[in-house]
Amino acid sequence: QVQLVESGGGLVQPGGSLRLSCAASGSIFGIDTMGWYRQAPGKGRELVASITSSSSTNYADSVKGRFTVSRDNAKNTVHLQMNSLKPEDTAVYYCNARMSTNYRPAYSTYWGQGTQVTVSS
């Protein structure tokens, strides 16, 4: 069917940068809003950034000015450019998308498997 696969996570030093990517694949009919969530150890999952089909964006206050979310509709892909990373950004980052499929026309929420981002010296 359909799936979301994240890539680009890793270990970086404070002040460094990472670019996360998430590609949707399968029998996709349409994709609405896409976004990124993160979950640190012992913490709840929080919204980091989202982007609508018309490219309107939304960011958590903690990442404004440092992170940028973008999408490539032709490739069914969403990206998260993370600059000036801080230790508190350490978390598992999850891709999220509202999608419909060729077999299920109603839009539903899908999640990626998550990718680890560790910011440490």
Side-chain angles (χ1 to χ4, degrees), residues 16 55 59 71 82 92 108-109:
S55 297
Y59 297 92
R71 64 191 290 166
M82 304 184 293
V92 176
S108 298
T109 300

Side-chain angles (χ1 to χ4, degrees), residues 8-9 14 16 18 22 28 35-36 44 72 77 79 85 92 95 99 101 104:
L18 280 176
C22 173
I28 301 170
W36 293 91
D72 185 338
T77 301
H79 304 280
L85 284 162
V92 176
C95 178
M99 300 188 291
T101 73
R104 192 176 187 277

